[in-house]
Amino acid sequence: MSYTLLQLVDQVSGELGLSQPTGVIGSSNNQTMQFLALAQRLGKDLVRDFEWQRLVQAYIFQTTAATTTTGTITAASAVITSIPSTAALAVGNVVTGTGQAPYAQILTIDSGTQVTLDTPVTTSTAAVSMTFAIQDYSLPSGFDRMISDTQWDRTDHWRNMGTKSSQEWQYLQGGVISVGPRERYRIYNQKFRIFAALTTVYTFSFEYVSNFWVMATGATVGSKSAYTADSDVSVFPDDLMLAGLKFYFLKAKKLDYGIELGEFTRALSYCKAQDVPVPSVSLAPAGMHELVGPWSIQDGNWPAA
């Protein structure tokens, strides 16, 4: 049974010879308020310290089909007028069509019939067809960081390429040749940005580390990024939270914390080592056995029948 927030603070207070509070959330007692602040900080620090399996989540989402409409464009102007409706459009949508610069996107939505792009068009045409595609998608709730090499395109069954750096992204948008068979992506402004913006529906997936390290009363998985009730429980082991909170408290009070630091370091090391089972490692490893390879093809000619 994991300690609730109140039980955690009471246990640490008792071990340190301090008075034990009857409540933590909403308390006006300075010592209790400090324990709460330190417990919040400890949980957030642990989230960032390691890729805990108890915080790993899988996220699957679908892209949105592009919007095809019409509008009037004028050479050397970035304004598109006479759009039937801009209700389905959003700032950042990428536009393609006659006269449009490569990877031009909506800078502002001026009205129900007009938008301004970040790049001027090259020709003048009335009621010309154009397509607006979404390039930015929201990250999942509780997202802290993506786990490397887990981003897959489940529609075409291959790994997406990323995350791309700022330098690579500018090359993709400004280079002479930048279009390839796989999708490229980056995390930009807390959004999942795709290059080039897709016009049809695709299914993507990736794994990430969640910052939901607190479980509400009765829950079995994290649903909050901070304690908000005395009955809340941390996803981390009790011994780790106890050792960590005791060490944080003594350090904040400018007291000697050498022994407590050692206890916290050992608890952290044990918990990391036991969090995910470690596979056996061979001293003479062999290559991965693939289903199809050169050994699958016989010598000589194929039989006639």
Side-chain angles (χ1 to χ4, degrees):
M1 179 66 179
S2 297
Y3 282 132
T4 65
L5 170 61
L6 179 57
Q7 291 170 335
L8 174 66
V9 173
D10 280 350
Q11 180 67 27
V12 173
S13 299
E15 292 185 13
L16 293 174
L18 304 173
S19 59
Q20 296 173 306
T22 57
V24 178
I25 300 296
S27 173
S28 58
N29 180 273
N30 288 336
Q31 179 176 284
T32 303
M33 293 169 62
Q34 185 174 31
F35 269 125
L36 174 60
L38 292 173
Q40 308 282 35
R41 179 183 170 188
L42 172 61
K44 290 178 171 60
D45 287 347
L46 290 174
V47 169
R48 305 309 305 274
D49 188 71
F50 186 65
E51 197 173 285
W52 304 96
Q53 55 83 15
R54 65 200 69 203
L55 294 177
V56 172
Q57 300 289 332
Y59 182 57
I60 302 173
F61 70 100
Q62 288 187 319
T63 62
T64 303
T67 299
T68 299
T69 185
T70 59
T72 297
I73 57 177
T74 303
S77 173
V79 178
I80 302 176
T81 60
S82 302
I83 301 173
S85 174
T86 60
L89 308 183
V91 172
N93 285 177
V94 176
V95 58
T96 56
T98 301
Q100 301 294 343
Y103 314 116
Q105 54 187 284
I106 296 178
L107 186 62
T108 60
I109 297 178
D110 308 321
S111 68
T113 59
Q114 177 180 303
V115 300
T116 299
L117 306 180
D118 63 353
T119 310
V121 300
T122 58
T123 61
S124 298
T125 310
V128 63
S129 178
M130 58 190 67
T131 299
F132 293 91
I134 297 175
Q135 65 174 340
D136 292 329
Y137 291 86
S138 297
L139 295 170
S141 179
F143 179 90
D144 185 79
R145 60 192 184 275
M146 185 181 292
I147 298 177
S148 300
D149 295 329
T150 62
Q151 225 301 330
W152 278 79
D153 171 359
R154 294 197 177 184
T155 299
D156 287 333
H157 306 291
W158 54 25
R159 182 180 294 164
N160 290 332
M161 301 178 68
T163 60
K164 295 299 180 182
S165 66
S166 296
Q167 292 78 11
E168 290 174 308
W169 201 262
Q170 289 305 312
Y171 167 77
L172 290 173
Q173 293 193 313
V176 176
I177 300 176
S178 59
V179 178
R182 299 191 185 187
E183 308 304 332
R184 278 78 170 162
Y185 71 95
R186 70 187 298 200
I187 304 299
Y188 183 79
N189 277 340
Q190 287 302 101
K191 298 285 187 179
F192 182 87
R193 173 164 289 191
I194 302 171
F195 178 90
L198 298 169
T199 58
T200 57
V201 177
Y202 279 72
T203 299
F204 287 170
S205 66
F206 62 83
E207 293 191 1
Y208 67 99
V209 176
S210 169
N211 59 26
F212 285 166
W213 61 276
V214 176
M215 297 184 292
T217 306
T220 57
V221 295
S223 59
K224 297 187 286 187
S225 59
Y227 287 119
T228 59
D230 286 350
S231 57
D232 285 344
V233 176
S234 167
V235 302
F236 300 116
D238 288 338
D239 58 341
L240 179 60
M241 293 298 293
L242 286 169
L245 186 55
K246 191 186 299 184
F247 158 60
Y248 274 36
F249 181 80
L250 293 176
K251 183 179 178 181
K253 291 296 188 181
K254 310 299 182 183
L255 299 173
D256 179 67
Y257 55 79
I259 294 176
E260 289 72 20
L261 173 59
E263 292 177 348
F264 175 57
T265 302
R266 284 193 296 273
L268 183 59
S269 179
Y270 294 152
C271 290
K272 286 181 179 179
Q274 298 168 359
D275 190 59
V276 179
V278 179
S280 299
V281 179
S282 173
L283 295 178
M288 181 184 296
H289 295 291
E290 300 179 4
L291 297 178
V292 179
W295 52 84
S296 305
I297 303 175
Q298 67 182 31
D299 294 332
N301 299 323
W302 294 97

